Amino acid sequence: MIEPVRISRRRLLAGAAATLGAAAVLPVRAQAAAYPSHAVRFIVPVPPGGGADLTARILAKKIGELAGQPVVVENKPGGNGFIAVQTVLSAPPDGYTLLLGSNSTLSTNAATFKSLPYDPIADFAPISLISRGPCFIVVAPNSPFKTLADLIAAAKKKPGALNYATGTMSYTLYTEWLNAMAGIRTTPINYKGSGEILSVVMAGTVDYAMVDESGSHGLVRSGRLRALAYTDAKRSRTVPDVPSVAELGFPDLLAMNWVAAAAPARTPKPVMDRLATLFAQAGDSQEVREFFEKQGGQRIMSTAAEMRRYQSEEIARWKKLVAATGLELQ
């Protein structure tokens, strides 16, 4: 006679739990395996034409080709990036709505606002730090300021009389950083985005501005803007006749704009892993490499862990700088 197999209640419950757990995991794995099964949105917090927008569009094109699904770029400028952030965080955390953000939305805002309506660390899952690039300090082609020294001398004669254009708190912070180093005081005038800023500088409506290299180097090369300095230790590849800030006596003024991709924090890990692969493959393509070579920016395409570390370091650095410059929090 065969004895019946006796299974304890504990083992029975454990087995049932394991079965239910595996069943719960299956939909997530199936979702990740099928990802993406329809169009993906890249939400960009700047108007069309700026460095972050151009970067988003070249990556959207390439990732769409790799994934076999359309990737649509949606520009949500204004509100210091809050509109774009709210769009992403209000969407389901399923990998279909991503932030192609800048240093403003993902780091500088955390240092310059008293009360931020989102947490750039806790609310987002990092995908990749995509690129990083310096700025030009520019004036109109007919400006009386031929050099950075000219601009600083004029600002010292009439504190607060000169004005500069800015579109986000990052550019305000960068310019106030220069002011602190040079011992000058100038007045910020806010505009909606880089396109508007470039227009008012070219027209001479404002005295100067600090602008992203990728969106302005063509205007500098053509003579429609005059660049007084380049915010890096070395000269620009795109406009090598513009002196670096290191040459001009400001070696620490390394004002860098960067672009990164992030998803809502609760996006499933398998989907995040798939996104990491797609971004890495797109960033390694010849088309994207050539894009950054022409734009002058530094292609990075980091891992998620590297992006999170860099983002955290940037937030800490800007908080120290805000305290040092005495910039009033928003």
Side-chain angles (χ1 to χ4, degrees):
M1 177 175 168
I2 299 174
E3 292 290 331
V5 177
R6 300 183 183 277
I7 302 175
S8 69
R9 184 172 181 273
R10 180 180 296 176
R11 287 178 62 192
L12 185 63
L13 290 174
T19 301
L20 290 172
V25 169
L26 284 175
V28 174
R29 288 179 177 169
Q31 178 188 14
Y35 178 87
S37 61
H38 56 82
V40 176
R41 296 192 299 163
F42 283 180
I43 308 300
V44 182
V46 297
D53 173 70
L54 296 174
T55 299
R57 291 182 186 279
I58 187 69
L59 284 172
K61 178 179 181 294
K62 198 63 191 176
I63 289 175
E65 292 172 0
L66 291 167
Q69 295 291 343
V71 180
V72 181
V73 175
E74 294 184 14
N75 299 87
K76 300 285 185 180
N80 293 289
F82 296 174
I83 297 171
V85 167
Q86 183 180 18
T87 300
V88 176
L89 296 182
S90 298
D94 54 11
Y96 287 95
T97 304
L98 307 176
L99 178 69
L100 264 290
S102 66
N103 40 297
S104 291
T105 48
L106 292 169
S107 68
T108 314
N109 281 353
T112 53
F113 284 86
K114 293 177 183 177
S115 178
L116 199 61
Y118 69 97
D119 187 325
I121 296 292
D123 291 341
F124 286 101
I127 299 171
S128 177
L129 175 61
I130 295 166
S131 62
R132 181 173 55 207
C135 301
F136 287 119
I137 299 171
V138 295
V139 296
N142 60 351
S143 169
F145 309 128
K146 301 295 192 294
T147 66
L148 184 60
D150 291 343
L151 189 152
I152 291 171
K156 285 184 175 180
K157 287 181 181 178
K158 296 182 178 180
L162 297 188
N163 54 46
Y164 66 87
T166 180
T168 66
M169 286 306 298
S170 288
Y171 288 105
T172 302
L173 185 54
Y174 293 163
T175 310
E176 293 298 329
W177 189 11
L178 168 65
N179 287 356
M181 288 183 172
I184 60 175
R185 179 166 58 85
T186 58
T187 303
I189 299 180
N190 294 309
Y191 293 91
K192 292 181 181 179
S194 60
E196 194 173 20
I197 290 170
L198 294 170
S199 295
V200 296
V201 176
M202 285 188 287
T205 306
V206 295
D207 293 303
Y208 72 107
M210 199 174 291
V211 295
D212 180 63
E213 176 187 15
S214 63
S216 62
H217 64 87
L219 296 172
V220 174
R221 282 204 306 264
S222 68
R224 297 172 68 189
L225 280 174
R226 178 188 298 152
L228 305 182
Y230 183 62
T231 63
D232 201 356
K234 297 181 180 180
R235 294 193 176 202
S236 164
R237 298 193 312 271
T238 63
V239 194
D241 58 335
V242 177
S244 70
V245 287
E247 296 174 60
L248 299 175
F250 301 97
D252 295 328
L253 185 67
L254 304 180
M256 297 283 177
N257 293 311
W258 48 270
V259 178
R266 291 176 289 111
T267 303
K269 185 179 183 302
V271 173
M272 293 299 299
D273 291 342
R274 174 66 173 146
L275 282 167
T277 298
L278 287 171
F279 272 87
Q281 290 175 340
D284 200 41
S285 68
Q286 182 177 352
E287 189 174 357
V288 172
R289 286 177 177 271
E290 289 176 353
F291 167 81
F292 284 114
E293 185 67 28
K294 291 177 182 178
Q295 294 298 318
Q298 178 188 4
R299 184 187 65 88
I300 298 175
M301 306 310 300
S302 75
T303 65
E306 289 167 341
M307 174 187 158
R308 178 47 49 86
R309 182 168 59 252
Y310 181 78
Q311 183 187 10
S312 299
E313 290 171 352
E314 282 282 279
I315 291 172
R317 183 161 76 100
W318 294 127
K319 285 183 176 180
K320 288 181 181 178
L321 184 60
V322 166
T325 60
L327 184 68
E328 184 177 351
L329 297 181
Q330 299 298 299

